[in-house]
Amino acid sequence: MIHNKVIPLRRGYVGIVNRGQRDVDADLSIREGLRKEEHFFRTHPVYSRDRSLLAKCGTNNMAKSLNNILMHHIRECLPELKNRITNMMADVQSELDALGAPTDDTSGSTALGGHLLALLSKFTTNFASMIDGRGGHGAVTTHASSSNATGTNELYGGARISYIFNDVFTYSLMTVGAFDGLTDAEIRTTISNANGTRPALFVPEISFDILVRRQISRLEQPGLQCVDLVYEELQRMASQCEPTELTRFPKLRDRMVETVSGLLRRCVGPTHLMVGNLVKIELAYINTSHPDFIGGSRAVAHLMDKVGKDERTGGMSAPSSSENEDEIEGVGASSNKQNGAVGATPLSSSSRNDYCRGDEENRAIAPTSTIDESGGGGIMNLLFGGNRNYTTNPNNSANTNGFRSPSRRNVAADVPPSIVQLPQVPHAMRHSDVPPTDRERVETEIIKSLIESYFSIVRKNFIDMVPKTIMYFLVNHVRDAMQNELVSELYRDAEVPTLMKEAEDIAQRRKTCIEMKELLMKALEIVNE
C-alpha cells in the first residue's frame, strides 16, 4: 500500500500513527505523540528495514511533501498572481487619485480656491477638446476602457455635431420639394386672385411672390430643430466632460451643471432668433435678378420647347406658331433690356380692336403685337393676348364659370324665356370644378418653373448658413465663454468652503483604499521573495 502498488494515487501514500483514545484521555501532547510515532517506525521490524519505505512514514515526512507540493504550485501561478496584484494596485491608486487628498489637510481658503480653479480649468479644457476633436477620451471619462470603446465604435464629441449638420439637417432639407403641400389648383387660384376683376394679359408677378414666400417659410422649422439638436448634444458633451475628481464635491458638481445649463440656454435664444432671421431675410426681398435664377425669358423658352414636344406627341395644345414667335421675341427684347423689372405691356390700337371684335363674336383672339421695350420685362411676359380662351363642351350643360346657361335650357325646351334669372352665387368659389384652359395650364407651368428655380437657390443658401449660424452663436460662444462663466459664478470667497466640502462617504472610501493599497504592497513583496 505505501509503495503505491495496490491502489495507485498520483501523489502516493504517507503512513502516520495517530493518537488513540487512550492517549487523548491521558492528555498526551502532540510533541510527545510525534516522538512516539517516530520511535514506532524506527523499531518496527518491517518499516525500519527499508529506508525508502521509512521516508514515506511519519507526520514530519507528510508535512515536507505537502510543502513541496505547495511551493511548486506557487511557482507555477506566480506570474499570474503578480499580474493580478499589480492590476489591483493600479485600480486602487486610480481611485485614490480620483478621491484626492483630504480637504481638511489643506491650509486655508487659498488652497481650496486653487483646487477649485484647477477643477474648473480641467472641465473647460475637456469640453473644448471634445468639440475640436483633439482626443483626450480617457481624460474626460471615468473609465479608460469605456472611453476607448466609445472613441472607436461610435462618433464622439464634435463629430456628432458635424453628423447633425451634414447627415441629418442637410439630408432632410434636400428631400424638401419646392411643391410640397402646393397643388396645381392652388397655383391656379392664386393666379386668378392676383388678376382681380380684370383678367391680366400676363401672368401676374404677385402670384409668384405669394407662392414662393409660402414655400420658403417652410424652411424655418427644420432650422430651429437643428438648433435644438445641437443644444441637446452640447448638454450631453458637458456631462461627459466632468473630471472624475469632481465626484468628491457634490455641491460643486450641481452648481457647475446649473451654470453650464444656464449658459447654454442663454445662447439658444439668440441662435433661434438668428435662424428665424435668415428666413425673414429671404422673405424680405425676392431677388429675381439672382444669377442662378431661371428668369422669365428662359422659363418661357423652356415651356415653349415642352409645348412643341407635346404637340408632336398629341399632348397639350399650344398657341399658334406665329403667336409664339412674336411672344418669345417680345420676351427676349424685354428681358435683354431689363431683367426682373415689373411692368405690363399695353395693347396696341389694333389689338384692342381685335379684342373688341372677338368679344362681340364670342371668341378670343390673341394679340399679335410684340412687347413694348419701354414697358420693362418683369418675371413673366406675353403668352396669350386678349381675354381667356374658354372652351365649351357641347355635351356639358355648364359653362366655364359653373353657371347653367338659361338660353340653352329654354332652347332645349322650345319655350321662349319670359324672365331671365341668374343662379344663386355659391358661398365658396373654386376652380376645382372647372377644367383648366390651355392658357391656365401654361401660366401654371411657368409659375412652377419659377418657384422651383428660386426655391432651390434659397434652400442652398439656408443649408449653408444655418450650420454657420449655430457654430457662431451657440457652439463657439459656449466654448469660449465657459471658463469665464464658471469662474465668475463659482469662484467666490464666501462660497468656496461650501462648494469644496466632500461627500460624507468620501473619507471612508479613501481610508479603505489606503488600507487595501498597503495590503497589496505587502502581498507583492512576499510574492517577489
Side-chain angles (χ1 to χ4, degrees):
M1 178 68 73
I2 293 180
H3 282 293
N4 200 23
K5 294 181 180 180
V6 179
I7 303 178
L9 298 177
R10 187 165 62 90
R11 301 291 182 181
Y13 293 89
V14 178
I16 60 173
V17 177
N18 293 323
R19 292 185 302 166
Q21 188 63 38
R22 183 181 300 174
D23 296 334
V24 175
D25 294 340
D27 197 14
L28 184 66
S29 64
I30 295 178
R31 192 181 301 275
E32 185 65 26
L34 292 176
R35 283 199 296 267
K36 289 181 64 176
E37 180 190 35
E38 183 180 1
H39 180 268
F40 172 77
F41 286 115
R42 289 187 180 276
T43 59
H44 195 275
V46 178
Y47 298 113
S48 60
R49 293 180 181 178
D50 191 349
R51 288 184 175 272
S52 61
L53 188 61
L54 188 61
K56 297 181 180 180
C57 297
T59 303
N60 292 331
N61 292 328
M62 184 182 67
K64 292 179 181 179
S65 299
L66 293 177
N67 286 333
N68 291 331
I69 294 173
L70 179 61
M71 291 300 296
H72 286 292
H73 181 71
I74 291 176
R75 288 191 182 97
E76 292 175 356
C77 301
L78 187 61
E80 182 182 357
L81 186 61
K82 289 180 65 176
N83 291 334
R84 291 180 59 186
I85 294 175
T86 303
N87 293 335
M88 291 177 66
M89 286 185 62
D91 293 339
V92 172
Q93 185 62 42
S94 173
E95 187 173 358
L96 277 175
D97 294 339
L99 296 174
T103 55
D104 296 338
D105 297 341
T106 57
S107 57
S109 60
T110 304
L112 290 177
H115 194 189
L116 173 61
L117 290 176
L119 287 175
L120 299 181
S121 178
K122 188 175 182 180
F123 175 80
T124 54
T125 301
N126 292 340
F127 187 80
S129 298
M130 289 186 67
I131 292 178
D132 298 336
R134 291 196 299 263
H137 306 298
V140 298
T141 53
T142 304
H143 301 287
S145 59
S146 62
S147 66
N148 292 333
T150 301
T152 56
N153 295 332
E154 63 183 42
L155 295 179
Y156 181 83
R160 295 175 64 91
I161 297 178
S162 177
Y163 181 86
I164 293 174
F165 288 155
N166 299 321
D167 294 353
V168 177
F169 175 70
T170 301
Y171 177 78
S172 299
L173 254 66
M174 291 304 296
T175 59
V176 177
F179 307 109
D180 292 347
L182 184 63
T183 62
D184 290 350
E186 291 175 336
I187 298 176
R188 180 183 170 196
T189 302
T190 304
I191 296 174
S192 298
N193 291 336
N195 288 331
T197 59
R198 179 180 179 182
L201 301 180
F202 314 103
V203 177
E205 184 175 354
I206 190 64
S207 59
F208 162 74
D209 193 88
I210 293 173
L211 294 173
V212 79
R213 289 175 185 272
R214 169 183 167 181
Q215 297 305 100
I216 292 174
S217 300
R218 298 173 59 246
L219 299 177
E220 182 176 3
Q221 189 61 32
L224 298 178
Q225 291 178 357
C226 184
V227 176
D228 295 334
L229 291 176
V230 176
Y231 167 73
E232 294 174 359
E233 192 59 38
L234 289 176
Q235 284 186 320
R236 181 177 183 272
M237 291 169 59
S239 64
Q240 294 177 339
C241 289
E242 297 176 358
T244 54
E245 191 176 356
L246 194 62
T247 57
R248 296 171 53 191
F249 312 105
K251 293 183 179 179
L252 175 61
R253 182 180 180 276
D254 294 340
R255 287 291 304 278
M256 185 180 294
V257 171
E258 180 182 353
T259 303
V260 173
S261 299
L263 177 61
L264 289 173
R265 285 194 298 269
R266 289 199 304 272
C267 294
V268 165
T271 309
H272 276 155
L273 181 61
M274 187 59 194
V275 171
N277 287 338
L278 292 177
V279 178
K280 293 178 182 177
I281 290 171
E282 295 289 349
L283 296 175
Y285 178 63
I286 304 300
N287 184 19
T288 55
S289 298
H290 193 281
D292 295 335
F293 184 54
I294 188 174
S297 60
R298 282 186 291 175
V300 173
H302 292 170
L303 182 59
M304 291 301 100
D305 293 340
K306 181 179 179 181
V307 169
K309 294 178 181 179
D310 291 341
E311 284 183 339
R312 288 192 295 270
T313 57
M316 181 182 65
S317 62
S320 62
S321 59
S322 60
E323 292 176 347
N324 291 341
E325 292 174 357
D326 293 340
E327 290 158 6
I328 295 175
E329 181 182 357
V331 170
S334 175
S335 60
N336 289 335
K337 179 177 180 182
Q338 183 179 1
N339 184 17
V342 180
T345 304
L347 291 174
S348 62
S349 58
S350 60
S351 299
R352 286 196 299 269
N353 294 332
D354 292 341
Y355 180 80
C356 294
R357 289 196 304 271
D359 189 22
E360 294 173 356
E361 297 172 2
N362 199 18
R363 60 184 179 87
I365 302 177
T368 59
S369 60
T370 60
I371 295 177
D372 186 5
E373 293 184 358
S374 64
I379 67 163
M380 178 57 212
N381 298 283
L382 180 61
L383 284 178
F384 295 96
N387 61 344
R388 293 181 178 271
N389 184 18
Y390 293 105
T391 58
T392 303
N393 187 355
N395 297 328
N396 192 355
S397 63
N399 59 8
T400 55
N401 55 13
F403 297 151
R404 178 176 296 179
S405 175
S407 61
R408 290 190 179 184
R409 183 178 65 248
N410 294 334
V411 170
D414 294 332
V415 178
S418 58
I419 299 177
V420 178
Q421 294 183 350
L422 298 179
Q424 189 70 25
V425 177
H427 178 71
M429 300 182 183
R430 297 183 178 87
H431 280 304
S432 58
D433 298 333
V434 181
T437 63
D438 292 345
R439 171 170 179 153
E440 288 175 336
R441 284 196 292 267
V442 170
E443 292 173 344
T444 301
E445 290 298 325
I446 292 178
I447 289 294
K448 289 176 68 176
S449 178
L450 298 176
I451 292 175
E452 183 177 10
S453 176
Y454 197 80
F455 181 81
S456 300
I457 296 172
V458 174
R459 180 176 59 185
K460 179 180 178 181
N461 295 338
F462 196 68
I463 290 175
D464 179 64
M465 290 303 299
V466 167
K468 294 179 179 179
T469 302
I470 295 175
M471 287 299 298
Y472 178 77
F473 285 92
L474 182 59
V475 179
N476 292 344
H477 182 74
V478 169
R479 181 192 60 189
D480 298 337
M482 181 77 71
Q483 179 80 20
N484 295 334
E485 185 74 15
L486 292 175
V487 172
S488 61
E489 291 292 331
L490 303 179
Y491 187 69
R492 298 173 182 175
D493 294 337
E495 297 183 3
V496 168
T498 303
L499 295 176
M500 297 302 293
K501 185 178 180 180
E502 291 184 339
E504 297 179 355
D505 61 330
I506 294 298
Q508 183 62 35
R509 288 173 57 189
R510 185 185 295 109
K511 181 180 178 181
T512 303
C513 290
I514 292 174
E515 293 176 354
M516 178 64 71
K517 181 180 178 181
E518 293 176 352
L519 292 176
L520 291 174
M521 290 178 64
K522 291 180 180 180
L524 187 60
E525 291 177 358
I526 293 173
V527 170
N528 290 333
E529 291 178 356

